Amino acid sequence: MNESDKTKDLVKPLTKPRGRPLGFKQDEALDKALEVFWSHGYEGTSMAELTDALGINKPSIYAAFGNKEALFRKALARYTGGPVAFVGEAMKAPTARQTVERLLTGAAEFFSDKSTPNGCMIVQGALTCGQSSQTIQQELIAYRKGFEVNLSKRFELAKQQGDLPQHVNSQQLAKYIATIHQGMSIQATSGATREELLAIVEIALKNWPES
């Protein structure tokens, strides 16, 4: 290469890189994807809706997040690590009753919050799925079962500490609370208000097992 060619290379105009557009921010895009999945469920969300919501094309989504399943899993991780972090905090309450009170009260506030889609993304996303979406459905069911297991462990600890009567079946109580929690989510998506959901919480707490 002679000096003239080197000079030409140096003055070549910069070209815009291919792929995702300038200004693309993965965190913001992931938040938008989360809202779409939360609103419509995994199977009910189309790639067209995702591209519209994120403001980027399919190749850019695939390059940044992978396929639809991979994007959903990333959105789910963002959901469990952010909006529903109150669940983990509730588990740390001093007594089992306080744990349940904080959990269900927090859920009532969260499910009815007008700034986000109503209900629980994990509950809604696992209700109905076709053959092609069964992998995601099973993953969401596993999340729900994990929630029950953690509740059951919390109740077993309460029994050891004398906080719950020994006759209480921890697994059954955990399933009872999880059923109320999931039912509240479905009620919220049907339009139940914060006050209506809190009334359900009040009834559940009145049925708390006593010594």
Side-chain angles (χ1 to χ4, degrees):
M1 181 182 293
N2 57 39
E3 291 300 322
S4 176
D5 291 334
K6 289 181 181 179
T7 301
K8 289 178 181 178
D9 285 340
L10 289 173
V11 297
K12 280 181 179 178
L14 294 174
T15 57
K16 186 180 295 185
R18 294 181 180 180
R20 62 192 186 213
L22 294 177
F24 173 85
K25 294 181 180 179
Q26 286 200 16
D27 286 348
E28 291 180 7
L30 198 52
D31 285 338
K32 292 176 182 177
L34 167 57
E35 187 164 341
V36 176
F37 283 126
W38 192 349
S39 298
H40 304 296
Y42 174 76
E43 191 167 70
T45 297
S46 68
M47 286 303 297
E49 287 171 318
L50 289 170
T51 56
D52 285 345
L54 274 61
I56 54 178
N57 56 27
K58 282 186 183 180
S60 296
I61 290 178
Y62 293 143
F65 304 108
N67 60 14
K68 181 183 171 183
E69 275 192 19
L71 176 56
F72 180 82
R73 290 189 179 102
K74 288 182 173 67
L76 182 60
R78 200 165 184 83
Y79 177 79
T80 56
V84 292
F86 72 90
V87 173
E89 290 301 313
M91 294 293 184
K92 300 174 185 176
T95 68
R97 190 184 190 283
Q98 286 176 323
T99 287
V100 171
E101 182 176 13
R102 293 180 188 182
L103 174 67
L104 296 183
T105 300
E109 300 279 357
F110 177 62
F111 293 160
S112 59
D113 187 348
K114 299 304 181 184
S115 67
T116 59
N118 289 342
C120 173
M121 177 181 174
I122 295 172
V123 173
Q124 303 305 126
L127 291 178
T128 56
C129 281
Q131 189 72 29
S132 62
S133 305
Q134 283 190 350
T135 300
I136 292 296
Q137 183 183 36
Q138 290 305 311
E139 289 180 23
L140 293 174
I141 289 173
Y143 267 96
R144 288 162 56 180
K145 287 181 177 178
F147 175 67
E148 279 187 38
V149 168
N150 288 335
L151 273 176
S152 181
K153 289 179 179 178
R154 179 66 186 86
F155 297 153
E156 277 298 306
L157 176 62
K159 288 171 66 174
Q160 293 170 18
Q161 295 173 335
D163 176 41
L164 265 181
Q166 290 302 309
H167 66 79
V168 170
N169 185 311
S170 296
Q171 291 181 340
Q172 290 178 359
L173 181 58
K175 187 170 288 293
Y176 168 69
I177 298 302
T179 299
I180 292 173
H181 178 266
Q182 292 159 19
M184 288 169 60
S185 171
I186 295 171
Q187 287 288 330
T189 60
S190 301
T193 64
R194 171 181 173 276
E195 290 71 24
E196 289 171 332
L197 296 178
L198 288 174
I200 294 171
V201 176
E202 186 177 351
I203 293 171
L205 292 174
K206 285 180 179 178
N207 291 321
W208 187 253
E210 302 292 345
S211 301

